[in-house]
Amino acid sequence: MARYFDIHPENPQRRSIGQVVDLLREDGLIAYPTDSCYALGCQLGNREGIDRIRTIRHLDDRHHFTLVCENFSQLGQFVHISNAVFRSIKAATPGSYTFILPATKEVPRRLLHPKKKTVGVRIPDHVVTQALVAELGEPLVSSTLLLPGHEEPMTQGWEIKEELDNQIDAVIEGEAGTDPTTVIDFSEDVPEVVRVGSGDPTPFE
């Protein structure tokens, strides 16, 4: 059964955040709220957790996982980013965007797009997510909590616990958006809007 954490959206309880991070460090898989919508997340080196995300969402090896980062200095460890692209992304973060960029050698191969060698990165504008990533000290490997057969992502922690109780290790109840991120592909240095979601795509069109 998944553990259930009701974490305050503006003043996250440090003890609860610490308990969730302990689960992540023990190779746990969590469902957590973000500024876009709920996501599944695990630690970077958690091979089984990544496989569990693929199984839950029925994903193939072309799926772009997202590294949810605390800040730009952390993001810069995992992707190659030119000065022009840096300025564009900096202006839009933190926020409900995922940026696809060429990955550095810090990113495990199994997270990369098999042909492009790219990975998704984002810096969310969400207090609880930021508290989790700060406590963890590294990015969360994440994927939108959109289940097979569902047209929209799940938005309520208690519903997620009912649906996935035996497939994940923890659920954080909290305030989340209802739309996935807007995805911008910067792999060729020129922005391509891949998916329109909760972030305004206009600056990248």
Side-chain angles (χ1 to χ4, degrees):
M1 284 178 60
R3 293 183 64 183
Y4 183 80
F5 295 89
D6 193 354
I7 295 181
H8 195 281
E10 294 173 8
N11 299 294
Q13 304 92 318
R14 290 194 64 180
R15 183 168 178 269
S16 297
I17 293 292
Q19 289 173 327
V20 176
V21 168
D22 285 345
L23 283 171
L24 287 166
R25 289 181 177 143
E26 293 164 5
D27 286 345
L29 176 62
I30 68 168
Y32 68 100
T34 78
D35 50 341
S36 56
C37 53
Y38 263 86
L40 293 167
C42 67
Q43 201 170 16
L44 198 58
N46 185 354
R47 184 188 296 266
E48 184 198 353
I50 293 163
D51 288 342
R52 287 161 72 188
I53 293 174
R54 288 191 194 279
T55 300
I56 289 168
R57 289 206 52 206
H58 294 185
L59 301 174
D60 61 27
D61 65 357
R62 294 186 302 276
H63 176 73
H64 266 113
F65 281 93
T66 298
L67 301 182
V68 175
C69 300
E70 180 186 2
N71 50 37
F72 259 96
S73 62
Q74 191 177 75
L75 183 146
Q77 298 173 43
F78 296 93
V79 289
H80 297 289
I81 184 167
S82 69
N83 289 336
V85 172
F86 176 87
R87 286 192 293 272
S88 295
I89 294 177
K90 182 79 171 172
T93 55
S96 299
Y97 297 92
T98 298
F99 300 100
I100 296 171
L101 289 158
T104 67
K105 291 180 180 178
E106 298 294 318
V107 182
R109 186 177 298 175
R110 62 187 170 276
L111 294 180
L112 302 179
H113 186 284
K115 290 184 179 176
K116 297 181 178 179
K117 307 303 181 194
T118 49
V119 70
V121 287
R122 68 175 299 231
I123 301 172
D125 186 13
H126 193 277
V127 173
V128 174
T129 312
Q130 283 282 353
L132 278 175
V133 179
E135 181 71 19
L136 185 60
E138 64 179 61
L140 262 176
V141 177
S142 291
S143 183
T144 302
L145 213 173
L146 178 61
L147 297 179
H150 289 219
E151 291 188 8
E152 296 180 350
M154 302 185 78
T155 58
Q156 301 290 328
W158 63 270
E159 286 183 328
I160 294 166
K161 179 165 167 54
E162 274 190 10
E163 184 85 20
L164 298 176
D165 205 17
N166 297 314
Q167 296 175 268
I168 59 178
D169 301 294
V171 177
I172 296 175
E173 184 67 72
E175 294 180 2
T178 55
D179 294 310
T181 55
T182 291
V183 178
I184 313 295
D185 188 338
F186 266 116
S187 57
E188 302 295 335
D189 260 15
V190 178
E192 178 189 350
V193 179
V194 177
R195 178 180 74 195
V196 176
S198 46
D200 179 9
T202 308
F204 304 99
E205 290 176 333

